Amino acid sequence: MALRRSGERRTGRAVSVAAMCSALIASGCAAATEPAPPGLGTTVKEAYEYAFPLYELSRHRWNALETPGSRTATTPNAFAHSRSLPGPGDTWANGPSEDVLYSTAWLDLARGPVHLDTPDTGDRFYVLTLIDFYSNTFFYAGERTTGTQAQKYFIVGPDWQGQAPADSTLVRASTNDVYVNLRIQTDGPADQAATNAVQDGFRFTSAQPATPPGPERVRPVAGDPKSYVDVVNQMLALDPPPAEEGGLVDRFREVGICGSGCSWDSLPAATKAAWTTEFPNPGRYFERLEKAGRTKGWIDYSPPGNLLGTTRQKDYDLRAFALATGGGMLGMSRDEANYWITFTDATSAPLRGTQNYVLRLPPGGIPSKAFWSITLYEVRDNGQFPTPNPIGRYVISSETRGLVANPDGTIDIAVQAAEPAQQTANWLPSPSNGKNFILFARSYVPGPEVLAGQFTMPPVTPR
């Protein structure tokens, strides 16, 4: 396989607006018959955006734990593994990664602590993130932060009291409900079995005898403001917000968002009318994505960052936007990974399969301490997905076998539908049907010039 070895010299999530927002924030309810008091609509909008992580993570949790046969189906405190890289026929996620395999899990720490064992992955990059129900990543394990040797962790809820086992590192979660996302580097189909074996080395086990499950969860129902309000209030009760956000939640009590003391059924008719009018308003997400699609060149697509321990209320709309467009929940801090996306070439024309392009990367490629990749996604009506091509290649990375550098160390990536006459290892096939496509660049453990804002992705040049 072409994974990095110590000392080797390496040379070498936009989504369709219609698809994402229709799936995540389906439009609407019937028009209200009673006007809402002035200003109530604004408070509803702010409450909706603040609470969106609680709803969205509950929706994903329901699909995993309450929907038998779903792609992510599992039980609490147990991994669900994606065993192979997605191909053109896989439409379960927009802009899926083609350089890592994902594993996911859902922890219920209200039922007690859990042990996490991680294997020795050697030179294979991985990153495991623990994410609370406000979408804050509060813990990282992996090459950058803890190393790739075998490790033991003892994960507890925010109010747990006691001592961690002597052989384990204590990790205190910021909410009792936790989403776990694990990415493990893979080198394509030939490396699949080895990567799967590494996945199996990550294990959760309960730290005490099973306790009765908590209250039955409210089922999220797309496009239903009643479901939204009731799901969010249940989650506020199960996973209280940080102390510094208590005053904010008190203000949202006016529109029925406060936890166990609030419910849809207890709301006045005027407040229900405001929710019906304002919920949801996908236009604000559509507009941002459409604006991004018209932007010339590469866009730094890194999520807006976690709000854990802050009071940046102005960023709650960015947090909702990142989650609604598929990037926030799985997004990592820029120290761990940096993302760029482009819809257009150097002339600001949309990228199309009828045109040949070259992407010239600087010597060594995109600055990274782990590895970098460039993935191509065909634009379809329901999202962006790998495009069919004769060699089954959807990504080029620093791990690509046979990647050829120019005499000055730069690397030319040939982005085109037809196989080039030379340097086929540098060929990233574009849609043979002439469709539009996008390019998504990733740098895992970015170099210092990326973090300092000194690196700019080079343009995609027609030729």
Side-chain angles (χ1 to χ4, degrees), residues 293-312:
R294 294 192 298 269
T295 301
K296 176 182 177 180
W298 292 91
I299 304 161
D300 189 322
Y301 189 67
S302 297
N306 295 326
L307 300 178
L308 190 65
T310 77
T311 55
R312 293 183 293 160

Side-chain angles (χ1 to χ4, degrees), residues 169-194:
T169 300
L170 178 69
V171 178
R172 187 174 296 277
S174 40
T175 58
N176 281 313
D177 286 293
V178 173
Y179 171 67
V180 184
N181 184 266
L182 169 65
R183 297 167 171 87
I184 301 176
Q185 181 188 6
T186 190
D187 192 30
D191 186 39
Q192 180 176 310

Side-chain angles (χ1 to χ4, degrees), residues 360-377:
R360 174 164 291 180
L361 299 177
I366 304 172
S368 64
K369 295 180 181 178
F371 69 103
W372 57 263
S373 66
I374 305 286
T375 308
L376 187 149
Y377 302 107

Side-chain angles (χ1 to χ4, degrees), residues 57-416:
L57 284 158
S58 294
R59 187 179 70 83
H60 286 282
R61 184 185 188 277
W62 185 276
N63 289 339
L65 302 185
E66 307 290 345
T67 311
S70 73
R71 188 179 181 91
T72 59
T74 185
T75 57
N77 305 339
F79 277 109
H81 300 296
S82 177
R83 295 300 197 179
S84 60
L85 290 171
D90 293 311
T91 58
W92 58 275
N94 282 288
S97 293
E98 293 286 347
D99 43 36
V100 297
L101 290 186
Y102 283 101
S103 301
T104 57
W106 300 88
L107 307 184
D108 184 358
L109 300 176
R111 302 183 67 183
V114 296
H115 297 282
L116 168 62
D117 291 279
T118 71
D120 187 337
T121 67
D123 292 323
R124 189 186 294 268
F125 170 88
Y126 83 86
V127 56
L128 181 145
T129 59
L130 301 182
I131 303 169
D132 72 17
F133 258 50
Y134 295 86
S135 74
N136 301 305
T137 302
F138 62 87
F139 178 75
Y140 289 89
E143 179 174 314
R144 178 183 68 89
T145 53
T146 62
T148 58
Q149 71 277 13
Q151 297 162 52
K152 292 180 177 292
Y153 299 99
F154 191 67
I155 305 172
V156 305
D159 301 321
W160 183 82
Q161 300 295 319
Q163 295 292 324
D167 64 347
S168 300
T169 300
L170 178 69
V171 178
R172 187 174 296 277
S174 40
T175 58
N176 281 313
D177 286 293
V178 173
Y179 171 67
V180 184
N181 184 266
L182 169 65
R183 297 167 171 87
I184 301 176
Q185 181 188 6
T186 190
D187 192 30
D191 186 39
Q192 180 176 310
T195 310
N196 294 162
V198 173
Q199 287 178 305
D200 291 335
F202 290 82
R203 297 185 304 275
F204 286 108
T205 55
S206 296
Q208 60 189 39
T211 58
E216 182 178 352
R217 303 293 175 108
V218 178
R219 180 177 183 174
V221 178
D224 180 6
K226 179 184 187 307
S227 169
Y228 189 91
V229 169
D230 289 342
V231 166
V232 165
N233 281 323
Q234 181 180 57
M235 297 314 300
L236 281 169
L238 294 174
D239 298 309
E244 62 269 18
E245 296 177 358
L248 187 64
V249 175
D250 285 344
R251 185 166 68 83
F252 295 148
R253 183 183 299 272
E254 176 190 13
V255 294
I257 299 296
C258 72
S260 58
C262 290
S263 70
W264 175 266
D265 290 340
S266 64
L267 288 177
T271 307
K272 290 180 179 178
W275 274 101
T276 301
T277 300
E278 294 294 328
F279 178 90
N281 179 11
R284 56 187 177 273
Y285 301 121
F286 278 97
E287 290 167 3
R288 289 189 184 188
L289 289 172
E290 289 170 351
K291 181 179 180 181
R294 294 192 298 269
T295 301
K296 176 182 177 180
W298 292 91
I299 304 161
D300 189 322
Y301 189 67
S302 297
N306 295 326
L307 300 178
L308 190 65
T310 77
T311 55
R312 293 183 293 160
Q313 181 179 345
K314 64 180 181 181
D315 286 341
Y316 295 133
D317 64 331
L318 293 178
R319 184 173 70 179
F321 165 70
L323 285 166
T325 55
M329 186 173 71
L330 301 183
M332 297 180 286
S333 73
R334 293 183 70 241
D335 289 336
E336 196 68 49
N338 204 82
Y339 311 131
W340 299 265
I341 192 169
T342 186
F343 303 80
T344 61
D345 65 18
T347 71
S348 298
L351 297 171
R352 294 189 63 85
T354 53
Q355 174 70 53
N356 292 352
Y357 305 92
V358 62
L359 172 62
R360 174 164 291 180
L361 299 177
I366 304 172
S368 64
K369 295 180 181 178
F371 69 103
W372 57 263
S373 66
I374 305 286
T375 308
L376 187 149
Y377 302 107
E378 171 187 301
V379 176
R380 306 179 196 170
D381 290 340
N382 60 334
Q384 279 84 37
F385 306 102
T387 189
N389 65 81
I391 61 173
R393 179 183 292 164
Y394 316 113
V395 61
I396 280 184
S397 76
S398 51
E399 314 301 326
T400 298
R401 290 184 177 90
L403 199 63
V404 178
N406 298 319
D408 63 355
T410 59
I411 303 168
D412 287 345
I413 308 298
V415 184
Q416 56 192 63

